Amino acid sequence: MTLDDLMFKPGLMKGQRILVTGGGTGLGKEMAEGLMMLGADVYICGRRGGVLEEAAKAMMDAHPASAGGGQVTPIACDIRVPEAIHEMMDTIWADGALTGLINNAAGNFISRTEDLSTRGFDAIANIVFRGSFFVTLEAGKRWLAEKRKGSVVSILTTWVWSGGPFTVPSAMSKAGLNVMTQSLAAEWGNRGVRFNAIAPGPFPTEGAWARLSPGQSATAESRPQTGSPLGRVGEMRELANLAVYLLHPLSEYVNGQTIAIDGGGWNAGSRGFSALADWGDAEWAAARQSIQGANASDRAKRTV
Ligand code: HXC
Ligand code: NAP
């Protein structure tokens, strides 16, 4: 990304301090880069310490402080563990309070719902639903106690409106975060802590494609069945610009909103993975094997 990809003036986010969960890869990394390019100090967390270090270095090498870039600090943290979140926030707050949070970390995979074990459900819900809530609570309590403003942006999907066949634990968890956004916008808005959400359509990433389109590489041509009238997938810079807008103090009056960025796919009738109803046992077995291969390969890189 270069400054020409952003619709904002250089230095716009100077003084902003933002945590992006899952900021070492995919959408989180791109939003983190957009924010730091505009001068924000950004913290990125995830379970693979090496992936985070590499991402932070790449961003800071590409956009050094001399070019207006902010600091990117990687913190290995598993958001399924409330004590680990508390420790991460202590580390961040030791440098200064956050001004914003992006709840982006997630886990997901396609599966027939009848094939899910309780552990399979928990594997997703404990990251998306429970983990994102505890990160939000940990930051929120500090903002309220210190009488500071805060802006929270949660990354959802359009499945919060349409339902998500074959991705039910994710759809249920994201729907919970959608209601968290609406509820806390009303409950904490009077104290300066606001909540919004972004519901992206398909943006090709390795993490999502390995688990939602197993066997296909994450390119603009190979996409899940979430087609948009624009005939294309999303561009990361489009998402980064929206995230910057929602985190900047000048969008303060926007509170409690979930904004789709899907080229109109949801309005045009896109409904997630319904087409997988055609799959039989053999297809599901192959998908599961491929997904579990990706899970194992990522798990081997975890440092927390
Ligand atoms: C059925 C499965 C399964 C599958 C795993 N499980 N894969 N069940 N079908 N394909 C079951 C396992 O059998 C096990 O249950 C349980 O889930 C936990 O599996 P683990 O591999 O031990 O889990 P873990 O190592 O904790 O990994 C968590 C994960 C993994 C969520 C499963 O995918 C992950 O870490 N993902 C992070 C990155 C990610 O998912 N990114 C994509 C986000 S995209 P049993 O009972 O057998 O022990 C997204 C939306 C995109 O969110 C929208 C696009 C339009
Ligand atoms: P991704 O690259 O796999 O991103 C997921 C990130 O979450 C990874 O960096 C992962 O890092 C982190 N994470 C997972 N579990 C964690 C945990 N327990 N603690 C801390 N971090 C954790 O996939 P993506 O496509 O960019 O997805 C990012 C977000 O966008 C997700 O919320 C997803 O639902 C949403 N989304 C994506 C699309 C799309 O088309 N790509 C569409 C709609 C919505 P570690 O594994 O190192 O922990």
Side-chain angles (χ1 to χ4, degrees):
M1 220 180 310
T2 71
L3 276 172
D4 286 341
D5 292 311
L6 297 172
M7 55 176 73
F8 303 105
K9 60 187 176 193
L12 179 90
M13 298 302 279
K14 208 152 185 56
Q16 299 295 308
R17 295 171 44 77
I18 292 154
L19 168 63
V20 183
T21 67
T25 64
L27 274 56
K29 184 179 170 198
E30 301 284 344
M31 291 186 284
E33 185 176 10
L35 291 161
M36 70 81 70
M37 282 168 62
L38 294 170
D41 289 328
V42 177
Y43 293 82
I44 54 175
C45 79
R47 294 164 298 181
R48 290 167 293 166
V51 168
L52 294 169
E53 301 272 352
E54 266 177 44
K57 182 174 182 319
M59 286 183 227
M60 289 203 297
D61 285 351
H63 315 290
S66 56
Q71 177 81 22
V72 183
T73 307
I75 304 182
C77 173
D78 183 342
I79 65 162
R80 293 173 299 182
V81 182
E83 298 74 26
I85 297 171
H86 185 81
E87 213 175 291
M88 170 173 66
M89 291 297 184
D90 277 350
T91 304
I92 294 172
W93 247 261
D95 299 341
L98 286 176
T99 60
L101 161 68
I102 303 187
N103 283 316
N104 165 81
N108 203 353
F109 53 77
I110 48 165
S111 172
R112 290 186 294 212
T113 303
E114 61 270 34
D115 293 341
L116 287 171
S117 65
T118 52
R119 277 172 46 82
F121 179 85
D122 285 348
I124 294 170
N126 284 349
I127 303 171
V128 182
F129 182 68
R130 202 169 168 273
S132 304
F133 175 71
F134 286 129
V135 174
T136 303
L137 187 62
E138 190 66 49
K141 279 160 61 172
R142 291 171 195 243
W143 284 325
L144 296 179
E146 295 167 13
K147 299 192 180 344
R148 291 181 193 279
K149 291 188 175 184
S151 176
V152 177
V153 174
S154 297
I155 307 302
L156 310 181
T157 71
T158 55
W159 306 334
V160 303
W161 301 303
S162 66
F166 304 105
T167 50
V168 167
S170 166
M172 288 171 65
S173 300
K174 298 278 190 188
L177 295 184
N178 193 35
V179 175
M180 178 188 82
T181 299
Q182 295 168 325
S183 307
L184 288 178
E187 185 178 333
W188 289 355
N190 62 354
R191 284 169 282 167
V193 182
R194 67 195 174 102
F195 288 80
N196 291 291
I198 296 175
F203 285 73
T205 66
E206 279 178 29
W209 260 233
R211 294 166 177 93
L212 298 170
S213 297
Q216 292 187 40
S217 54
T219 61
E221 292 71 42
S222 88
R223 60 177 191 261
Q225 299 85 343
T226 41
S228 91
L230 272 58
R232 65 171 176 87
V233 293
E235 290 178 15
M236 293 297 185
R237 60 184 185 168
E238 295 172 320
L239 175 75
N241 278 297
L242 180 54
V244 169
Y245 170 75
L246 289 174
L247 285 160
H248 191 271
L250 280 173
S251 68
E252 186 178 63
Y253 208 49
V254 183
N255 188 23
Q257 300 307 305
T258 298
I259 300 170
I261 177 163
D262 70 340
W266 140 250
N267 296 88
S270 155
R271 295 292 181 272
F273 290 92
S274 330
L276 299 187
D278 294 340
W279 280 15
D281 291 344
E283 283 103 331
W284 280 112
R288 185 172 183 142
Q289 197 182 13
S290 172
I291 292 165
Q292 290 189 319
N295 291 346
S297 147
D298 279 6
R299 206 164 38 237
K301 294 185 194 142
R302 287 185 201 159
T303 53
V304 290

